[in-house]
Amino acid sequence: GCGATGTMWASDQWQLPGPPDMLTFSKRMQAGGFYVKDKFLPKQTYQIYNTWMGEPSKLALVRALLDTMEQDKLLELTQQSGKLLLNGLKEIQSRFPQHLSAAR
């Protein structure tokens, strides 16, 4: 998550018919958390607190992170960098198929 694949969530690239059943994130977002469909919620209330969750001040960090990602167009930069890297890997693969295969 958080743009490492060129989209906010890796699952955005999988062309799912709907959102995933569960999605987790942690340190790259400077806060931990998860999204889950209602059918997977426990019947009783619960809380999870650790280094990255349950601290309200982390919301300010996440907001600043998301603002920076948008302002600096980091998702687009990641997509461009990924294409450049993949093209380079494919070139190496074509020259040295005995050492590299299935670049993706």
Side-chain angles (χ1 to χ4, degrees), residues 23-73:
L23 186 142
T24 63
F25 58 93
S26 63
K27 296 176 182 169
R28 183 169 280 143
M29 287 282 291
Q30 301 301 309
F34 59 91
Y35 299 110
V36 64
K37 290 184 176 178
D38 288 344
K39 67 181 178 180
F40 294 109
L41 290 174
K43 304 249 185 270
Q44 300 178 33
T45 60
Y46 63 97
Q47 292 180 337
I48 299 173
Y49 290 101
N50 62 35
T51 305
W52 301 100
M53 293 179 74
E55 186 180 340
S57 66
K58 295 292 184 187
L59 292 175
L61 290 173
V62 172
R63 180 76 265 158
L65 177 75
L66 294 173
D67 289 345
T68 300
M69 287 176 66
E70 184 176 349
Q71 177 183 336
D72 293 350
K73 300 184 183 336

